[in-house]
Amino acid sequence: MSARTFIFKVDCPPERVTALAFGLATDTFVQILTKAEAKNWPVHETKIASVHLSARPVVMDDAATTSFGIIDRLAALTTTKDLSRDEVIEFKPILDKMSSVVNNTNADVILSTGSTESRFTAELLNEAESIARKASRRSFGHVTGTIDKLVLQPDKGNRSIGLVDHLTGLRVTAVFDGALDRSVNALHTGSVVDIKGFIRSNSDKSLHLDAEDIEKIKKRHHQPVNSDDLEGILDIELPDGLNSVNIIRTLRDGDASPARKGDD
């Protein structure tokens, strides 16, 4: 049995735990476990007097370690001096739900995966919302490039395409929803695609694209050209009795330029 437990608490007196508040808290608890790919962990403890929920894996295997790593990254937002825009965007759905809990109960949300607690206050969540709002300024456009990374894991909610934009040379990560699964099933690394959607710049100068349309570009193949194909393309009138070799030899030897037909 695993000894490590994920604990979610709302630090409020019992009278503030309305049915709505408890529903919001439970929804946020599930959202965090879903993000950590741990929604199948057994619920270990539930206390309704305030709100105290906990879950832990049956065994502490590699998957559980990865899940706790994601939860720990979320919890670390409470101790970071400057919130990372990328992490705020990554955890935005959870932070939005936390804001609903905090606004409804006027209390902090507390996470714990060990001996220390991480406290999400209204001030912290408002700062995160401000960062996310600024990052949401994006434009609609498209990129064309060759796929070098393709992730399609519908059961885990992981859908992304990695490529380098042929025009700008910038790294692009395109994410998409289930509506485009059929189009993506026909793709593979090496496929050339044109992806349309909303684009925003990341702090590392790469691009993030929320795809709305993905089109595979067919590679064009041209038949090689031989000398027969070139015959007649250039209509060069040569002097009588001379071919191209004679003309080059004459010019090289410094003789006067041979007269063309019709010259006086």
Side-chain angles (χ1 to χ4, degrees), residues 112-143:
S112 174
T113 59
S115 59
T116 60
E117 294 183 338
S118 302
R119 186 176 293 266
F120 288 81
T121 64
E123 180 181 7
L124 174 67
L125 294 169
N126 288 338
E127 182 184 353
E129 172 59 28
S130 176
I131 292 172
R133 189 166 50 249
K134 291 177 182 178
S136 66
R137 294 169 185 167
R138 52 187 190 163
S139 59
F140 191 86
H142 77 102
V143 297

Side-chain angles (χ1 to χ4, degrees), residues 89 135 137-139 198-202 206-210:
I89 292 171
R137 294 169 185 167
R138 52 187 190 163
S139 59
F198 286 96
I199 303 172
R200 67 168 183 265
S201 297
N202 295 321
S206 65
L207 300 178
H208 176 95
L209 192 154
D210 295 311

Side-chain angles (χ1 to χ4, degrees), residues 40 56 60 64 90 190:
N40 293 324
R56 65 188 182 194
M60 193 62 193
E90 178 185 355

Side-chain angles (χ1 to χ4, degrees), residues 13 45 84 87 102 109 123 125 133 145 165 182 218 235:
E45 187 178 23
S84 162
E87 290 195 330
V102 170
V109 170
E123 180 181 7
L125 294 169
R133 189 166 50 249
D165 183 16
R182 187 172 180 179
K218 293 183 178 179
D235 184 16

Side-chain angles (χ1 to χ4, degrees), residues 234-248 258-263:
L234 296 177
D235 184 16
I236 301 176
E237 189 176 7
L238 300 176
D240 290 336
L242 294 178
N243 57 28
S244 58
V245 175
N246 299 136
I247 291 177
I248 296 298
R260 294 180 178 273
K261 288 182 179 180
D263 287 351

Side-chain angles (χ1 to χ4, degrees), residues 1 42 46 48 61 96 105 109 132 153 155 161 164 174 198 211 233 241:
M1 179 69 71
T46 304
I48 313 247
D61 54 11
D96 287 344
T105 61
V109 170
Q153 299 174 318
D155 56 326
I161 292 174
V164 174
F198 286 96
I233 290 179

